[in-house]
Amino acid sequence: MLARAVLLRLSNSPVAERFVRRSRASAGLVRRFIAGETLDSACAVVRDLNAAGMSATLDYLGENVTNPAEARASVETCLRTQNAIRERGLNANVSVKLTQLGLDIDTDLATENLRAVVENGERLGQFVRIDMESSAHTERTLAVHRSLWQSHRNVGIVLQSYLYRTDADLEAAIAQGIRVRLVKGAYDEPASVAHRKKTDVDAAFLRQAKRLLDAGDYPAIATHDERLIRGCQEHAVSIGLSLASYEFQMLYGIRRDLQTALCGLGHPVRIYTPYGEKWYGYMMRRLAERPANLWFIVKNLFRR
Ligand SMILES: Cc1cc2nc3c(=O)[nH]c(=O)nc-3n(C[C@H](O)[C@H](O)[C@H](O)COP(=O)(O)OP(=O)(O)OC[C@H]3O[C@@H](n4cnc5c(N)ncnc54)[C@H](O)[C@@H]3O)c2cc1C
């Protein structure tokens, strides 16, 4: 728990970022979790995933952008990514973070930037997923989604089981037919807004996943937790849900064995595939989820 909190704190530290970026020891971990720094390298990874029977959602890395020009540049890269998916015939879509599109600068700016991505997706027949960030952004993220949802149906949200508010957000999403990706939640949240104990988060996740399977529109169950995955499979069978009515989602580089096994059973499996130069925050959250990953770095420190 302490290691998780420290790593999540470091994920926002520019000093730690400079250190990690300079360290050759972290290179192995970056390779494991990130599909390269360029669009070409990411597309090559997606091609391999598609060949193995899995779809992907491409995430151009970046968050907490502080000026409109940078936010606009992120939009351009998202559009290029969507266009590349179409031109190269890939089975993929994009996931975006609203702070990368300017949410911390101005909500209207982020809405208009997202609109460009959603409308391009609509032209190309592609879905767009809005990732969920820290609880400081939850309300505004859902508000931006709401304003686009009035006129666009190819845009969905992510809800985090660790937040107390999620049961209510889930019901609102189900009532409107909004597509939800359910995750446990990856940020360091206080006990005033989020469950802190793993058992509580897991119980909320299973309850909410079952509710989505019962009543949601093509739910995305995003976890590597085998026990929860089994719980969802059993529930889907018990209510007679076809495999094609929902999908499992996992992160690139994590539990590849499980990804392959689920795909082999006929489940739609989508792999969240991040790429780009701004990998630091993303990689630190992956370390925080499993501090044992630090051994990867420690081992490489002593490797010549
Ligand atoms: C497709 C996808 C999209 C996501 N989008 C968001 C989002 O928008 N917002 C958000 O807050 N969070 C997001 N997350 C992250 C999520 O909130 C969790 O932090 C993450 O999935 C780890 O939780 P878990 O469900 O795998 O369960 P855990 O209990 O953390 O892990 C279960 C098992 O999975 C394996 N595992 C999990 N994480 C790692 C790791 N980093 N390295 C190695 N093994 C690991 C281990 O075997 C572990 O025992 C996303 C996750 C996925 C899969």
Side-chain angles (χ1 to χ4, degrees):
M1 205 60 194
L2 181 64
R4 178 175 187 269
V6 170
L7 287 164
L8 287 176
R9 206 57 56 79
L10 289 178
S11 73
N12 294 316
S13 157
V15 175
E17 174 166 2
R18 272 197 299 281
F19 176 77
V20 170
R21 279 188 174 277
R22 256 191 256 126
S23 154
R24 278 198 302 156
S26 54
L29 211 56
V30 174
R31 259 198 309 278
R32 177 179 163 194
F33 291 132
I34 316 295
E37 294 200 344
T38 66
L39 179 56
D40 273 346
S41 59
C43 286
V45 165
V46 172
R47 190 170 296 291
D48 288 347
L49 289 171
N50 287 173
M54 295 177 239
S55 59
T57 184
L58 275 168
D59 163 40
Y60 171 60
L61 290 162
E63 50 204 279
N64 306 115
V65 157
T66 52
N67 72 72
E70 221 185 318
R72 187 64 218 172
S74 300
V75 173
E76 295 302 330
T77 307
C78 287
L79 300 180
R80 266 201 305 282
T81 305
Q82 291 173 309
N83 295 341
I85 288 170
R86 159 58 76 85
E87 285 153 17
R88 298 174 198 208
L90 301 174
N91 182 0
N93 56 35
V94 296
S95 287
V96 294
K97 286 189 175 49
L98 288 188
T99 65
Q100 183 182 27
L101 302 188
L103 189 64
D104 284 338
I105 307 167
D106 176 46
T107 304
D108 289 345
L109 173 75
T111 307
E112 289 320 301
N113 281 340
L114 179 64
R115 187 186 305 282
V117 177
V118 169
E119 288 184 349
N120 193 45
E122 208 167 49
R123 269 194 298 280
L124 299 171
Q126 291 175 21
F127 183 74
V128 175
R129 180 77 65 178
I130 310 173
D131 285 344
M132 190 56 86
E133 302 177 70
S134 73
S135 62
H137 301 101
T138 311
E139 193 55 48
R140 282 177 291 152
T141 300
L142 295 177
V144 169
H145 176 270
R146 260 196 308 278
S147 66
L148 283 175
W149 180 252
Q150 317 278 347
S151 45
H152 302 286
R153 287 292 182 261
N154 63 320
V155 56
I157 56 173
V158 175
L159 294 178
Q160 298 154 320
S161 292
Y162 64 12
L163 293 185
Y164 303 138
R165 59 174 290 162
T166 289
D167 284 300
D169 289 335
L170 193 70
E171 289 310 319
I174 288 172
Q176 295 174 76
I178 295 167
R179 282 194 184 177
V180 174
R181 171 203 293 155
L182 188 67
V183 302
K184 289 189 186 179
Y187 297 82
D188 188 22
E189 300 292 356
S192 54
V193 299
H195 299 290
R196 304 276 299 175
K197 273 171 50 194
K198 180 175 161 51
T199 46
D200 292 340
V201 178
D202 288 358
F205 187 98
L206 190 57
R207 179 179 71 247
Q208 292 157 357
K210 286 180 176 174
R211 180 75 187 117
L212 273 176
L213 292 169
D214 285 339
D217 179 23
Y218 195 65
I221 310 294
T223 181
H224 315 89
D225 190 321
E226 280 191 77
R227 197 182 60 82
L228 295 178
I229 288 172
R230 214 174 313 116
C232 289
Q233 288 172 310
E234 286 167 6
H235 186 72
V237 169
S238 75
I239 58 172
L241 203 61
S242 74
L243 295 187
S245 324
Y246 65 105
E247 69 183 25
F248 286 114
Q249 295 193 354
M250 293 190 215
L251 301 175
Y252 177 68
I254 297 182
R255 294 297 314 261
R256 289 195 171 120
D257 56 334
L258 191 54
Q259 299 173 5
T260 309
L262 287 172
C263 186
L265 289 173
H267 285 288
V269 176
R270 186 177 300 275
I271 306 302
Y272 186 100
T273 309
Y275 82 95
E277 291 167 6
K278 298 190 184 121
W279 43 259
Y280 177 74
Y282 178 88
M283 193 192 78
M284 291 302 279
R285 287 195 293 277
R286 302 298 75 84
L287 272 179
E289 278 154 8
R290 198 161 153 81
N293 287 334
L294 280 171
W295 278 111
F296 222 86
I297 291 189
V298 174
K299 267 190 300 182
N300 284 325
L301 275 174
F302 297 103
R303 212 175 260 163
R304 302 190 53 136

